[in-house]
Amino acid sequence: MGRGRFVVLEGIEGAGKSTHSAFLAGWLREKGIAVVAAREPGGTALGERLREILLDPEVTGMPPLAELLLMFAARSASLNEVIRPALEAGSWVICDRFVDSSYAYQSRGRGIPPEYVQALEQQVLDGLRPDLTILLDAPVSVGLSRKDNPQGGDRFERESREFFERVRAGYLDRAAVGGDSYCVVDASRSLEAVQTDLKDAVGELAGL
Ligand code: Z5A
């Protein structure tokens, strides 16, 4: 049994994480590789309940630190119930968002010191790191235009453009110091162009 690999897709909303996570999982399965799909926050009973609270626009005034802790509570459940068991069984895991979302949104977006995120990362991840983080990068205007929501959107989608600019910058800074385990893909291009780059990056990791 081959070793499972852990691949994370990150990016601002509308960058295409959900679309491309499903694409990559399907492509790898076609190649005979077992894949488990995960998403954050969510993917477990606890995670989905927390997701409802975290995205609910009627939940107002949530302190940024509470938001960070809830994200890590959902992450802890996902690691225990989905991610670690899948990797231990030799499956690949394709995860739609992971800890870099907390650095980008809660730290850069909300202003929480990155040391707080780092401390939780150390405790909750206990040394586990993605083999590859793919940052789907696109201008905020492109991402938002793909998510035209007449109802005003969820608790995050109601944030200002400046908030998403900080989030995007936070991601790009993480990728700039992340070395070989990061791959930045220009997600403003066509679906086909993006997917060609994804196949190259993930195919190299899989030895395809
Ligand atoms: N959050 C956080 O703050 N801290 C954390 O630690 C974590 C999360 C883990 C929920 O995440 C919120 O949680 C999120 C951050 C926060 N809020 N925000 N913003 P989510 O991932 O569920 O929510 P999301 O980012 O808003 O997902 P999304 O809007 O669905 O974005 P996406 O998955 O990147 O996009 P998509 O659904 O794949 O694509 C959107 C549309 O664009 C769709 O119609 C596609 O067909 C289209 N699309 C995508 N790519 C293309 C290209 N290349 N060309 C043309 N059309 C395209």
Side-chain angles (χ1 to χ4, degrees):
M1 184 173 60
R3 181 171 87 81
R5 301 292 181 136
F6 184 19
V7 177
V8 172
L9 278 83
E10 292 279 8
I12 59 167
E13 66 162 349
K17 299 170 301 298
S18 313
T19 306
H20 295 302
S21 296
F23 165 77
L24 275 179
W27 182 70
L28 285 167
R29 286 183 188 124
E30 275 171 24
K31 306 280 177 200
I33 294 174
V35 179
V36 169
R39 72 161 177 173
E40 292 200 357
T44 65
L46 175 63
E48 292 297 328
R49 294 279 286 277
L50 292 175
R51 180 184 178 89
E52 277 174 33
I53 296 168
L54 282 159
L55 299 193
D56 186 350
E58 289 182 11
V59 177
T60 55
M62 185 184 295
L65 190 54
E67 188 178 89
L68 176 70
L69 293 170
L70 292 179
M71 291 294 177
F72 269 94
R75 182 161 300 133
S76 172
S78 179
L79 280 161
N80 282 352
E81 294 177 38
V82 181
I83 298 174
R84 287 190 197 283
L87 293 173
E88 281 161 17
S91 288
W92 281 52
V93 174
I94 305 288
C95 195
D96 182 342
R97 295 191 180 280
F98 194 55
V99 73
D100 277 13
S101 285
S102 297
Y103 281 103
Y105 284 78
Q106 280 67 54
S107 182
R108 287 297 282 273
R110 304 276 195 224
I112 289 187
E115 295 76 24
Y116 290 22
V117 185
Q118 204 174 13
L120 287 165
E121 181 183 16
Q122 277 168 3
Q123 293 301 318
V124 174
L125 273 61
D126 194 23
L128 183 73
R129 292 274 176 280
D131 293 289
L132 178 65
T133 298
I134 297 170
L135 172 56
L136 294 167
D137 179 57
V140 171
S141 56
V142 172
L144 295 183
S145 73
R146 291 180 184 157
K147 297 289 296 182
D148 201 9
N149 197 327
Q151 268 84 47
D154 65 35
R155 211 170 56 81
F156 287 94
E157 288 166 354
R158 291 168 186 231
E159 284 298 335
S160 66
R161 196 187 177 101
E162 291 69 35
F163 175 83
F164 289 112
E165 293 289 0
R166 291 198 298 279
V167 170
R168 183 189 183 201
Y171 273 131
L172 287 168
D173 286 351
R174 294 276 302 163
V177 296
D180 288 349
S181 65
Y182 278 78
C183 169
V184 181
V185 172
D186 176 358
S188 65
R189 296 169 301 151
S190 71
L191 286 173
E192 295 72 23
V194 173
Q195 287 169 357
T196 298
D197 285 3
L198 297 182
K199 284 191 284 188
D200 284 349
V202 175
E204 191 181 328
L205 187 64
L208 295 171

Coordinates of all heavy atoms in Angstrom, one line a residue, residues 15 23 30-31 41 51 58 85 100-101 109 117 120 136 138 141 152 155 158 167 176 186 196:
A15 N -12.5 31.5 -5.7 CA -11.2 31.2 -6.4 C -11.4 29.8 -7.1 O -10.6 29.6 -8.1 CB -10.1 31.1 -5.4
F23 N -12.6 18.2 -9.0 CA -11.9 17.8 -10.2 C -10.7 16.9 -9.9 O -10.5 15.8 -10.5 CB -11.4 19.0 -11.0 CG -10.4 18.7 -12.0 CD1 -10.8 18.1 -13.2 CD2 -9.1 19.0 -11.8 CE1 -9.8 17.8 -14.2 CE2 -8.1 18.6 -12.8 CZ -8.5 18.0 -14.0
E30 N -9.5 8.3 -11.3 CA -9.3 7.7 -12.6 C -8.0 7.0 -12.8 O -7.8 6.1 -13.6 CB -9.4 8.8 -13.7 CG -10.8 9.2 -14.1 CD -10.8 10.4 -15.0 OE1 -9.7 10.7 -15.6 OE2 -11.8 11.1 -15.0
K31 N -7.0 7.5 -12.0 CA -5.6 6.9 -12.1 C -5.4 5.8 -11.1 O -4.3 5.3 -10.9 CB -4.5 8.0 -11.8 CG -4.7 9.3 -12.6 CD -4.0 9.1 -13.9 CE -4.2 10.4 -14.8 NZ -4.1 10.1 -16.2
P41 N -14.5 24.7 7.3 CA -14.9 23.9 8.5 C -16.0 22.9 8.0 O -16.9 23.3 7.2 CB -15.5 25.0 9.5 CG -15.9 26.1 8.6 CD -15.0 26.1 7.4
R51 N -19.8 24.7 11.5 CA -19.9 25.5 10.2 C -21.2 26.3 10.1 O -21.1 27.5 9.7 CB -19.8 24.5 9.0 CG -19.9 25.2 7.7 CD -19.9 24.2 6.5 NE -20.0 24.8 5.3 CZ -19.0 25.3 4.6 NH1 -17.8 25.0 4.9 NH2 -19.2 25.9 3.4
E58 N -26.8 35.7 11.1 CA -27.5 36.1 12.3 C -26.7 36.0 13.5 O -27.1 36.6 14.6 CB -28.8 35.3 12.4 CG -29.8 35.7 11.3 CD -31.1 35.0 11.4 OE1 -31.4 34.4 12.5 OE2 -31.9 35.1 10.5
P85 N -7.2 9.1 9.7 CA -7.6 7.7 9.3 C -7.3 7.5 7.9 O -6.9 6.4 7.5 CB -9.0 7.6 9.7 CG -9.3 8.7 10.8 CD -8.3 9.8 10.4
D100 N -4.0 27.2 6.7 CA -3.7 28.5 6.1 C -4.9 29.5 6.0 O -4.7 30.7 6.0 CB -3.1 28.3 4.7 CG -1.6 28.0 4.8 OD1 -1.1 27.7 5.9 OD2 -0.9 28.1 3.7
S101 N -6.1 28.9 6.0 CA -7.3 29.7 6.0 C -7.3 30.5 7.3 O -7.8 31.6 7.4 CB -8.5 28.9 5.9 OG -8.7 28.5 4.6
G109 N -6.9 38.8 8.2 CA -8.2 39.4 8.0 C -8.8 40.1 9.3 O -9.2 41.2 9.3
V117 N -2.3 31.6 16.2 CA -2.7 30.5 15.2 C -1.6 29.4 15.3 O -1.9 28.2 15.3 CB -2.8 31.1 13.8 CG1 -3.2 30.0 12.8 CG2 -3.7 32.3 13.8
L120 N -2.0 27.1 18.3 CA -3.1 26.1 18.0 C -2.7 25.1 17.0 O -2.9 23.9 17.1 CB -4.4 26.8 17.6 CG -5.1 27.6 18.7 CD1 -6.1 28.5 18.2 CD2 -5.8 26.6 19.7
L136 N -5.0 28.8 -4.9 CA -5.7 29.3 -6.1 C -5.8 30.8 -5.9 O -6.6 31.3 -5.1 CB -7.1 28.7 -6.2 CG -7.0 27.1 -6.4 CD1 -8.4 26.5 -6.2 CD2 -6.5 26.8 -7.8
A138 N -6.5 34.7 -7.1 CA -7.2 35.5 -8.1 C -7.5 36.9 -7.5 O -7.6 37.0 -6.2 CB -8.5 34.9 -8.5
S141 N -11.7 41.0 -7.0 CA -12.9 41.4 -7.8 C -13.3 40.2 -8.6 O -14.5 39.9 -8.8 CB -12.5 42.5 -8.8 OG -11.4 42.2 -9.5
G152 N -27.0 38.6 0.1 CA -26.0 39.2 0.9 C -25.0 38.2 1.4 O -23.9 38.6 1.8
R155 N -21.8 34.8 6.7 CA -21.2 35.8 7.6 C -19.8 36.3 7.1 O -19.5 37.5 7.3 CB -20.9 35.1 9.0 CG -21.0 36.1 10.2 CD -21.0 35.3 11.5 NE -19.9 34.4 11.6 CZ -18.6 34.8 12.0 NH1 -18.4 36.0 12.3 NH2 -17.7 33.9 12.0
R158 N -20.2 38.7 3.7 CA -20.6 40.1 4.0 C -19.5 41.0 4.3 O -19.7 42.2 4.6 CB -21.7 40.1 5.1 CG -23.0 39.4 4.6 CD -23.9 39.2 5.7 NE -25.1 38.4 5.2 CZ -26.3 38.8 5.3 NH1 -26.7 39.8 6.1 NH2 -27.3 38.1 4.7
V167 N -6.9 39.2 3.3 CA -6.9 37.7 3.2 C -6.0 37.2 2.1 O -5.1 36.4 2.2 CB -8.3 37.1 3.1 CG1 -8.3 35.6 2.9 CG2 -9.1 37.4 4.4
A176 N 4.8 32.6 -0.2 CA 6.2 33.1 -0.5 C 7.2 32.5 0.4 O 8.4 32.4 0.0 CB 6.2 34.6 -0.4
D186 N -2.6 30.7 -10.9 CA -3.4 31.9 -11.3 C -4.8 31.4 -11.6 O -5.0 30.8 -12.7 CB -2.8 32.6 -12.5 CG -3.6 33.7 -13.0 OD1 -4.7 33.9 -12.5 OD2 -3.2 34.4 -14.0
T196 N -5.0 22.3 -15.9 CA -3.8 21.8 -16.5 C -2.6 22.0 -15.5 O -1.8 21.1 -15.3 CB -3.4 22.5 -17.8 OG1 -4.5 22.3 -18.8 CG2 -2.1 22.1 -18.4

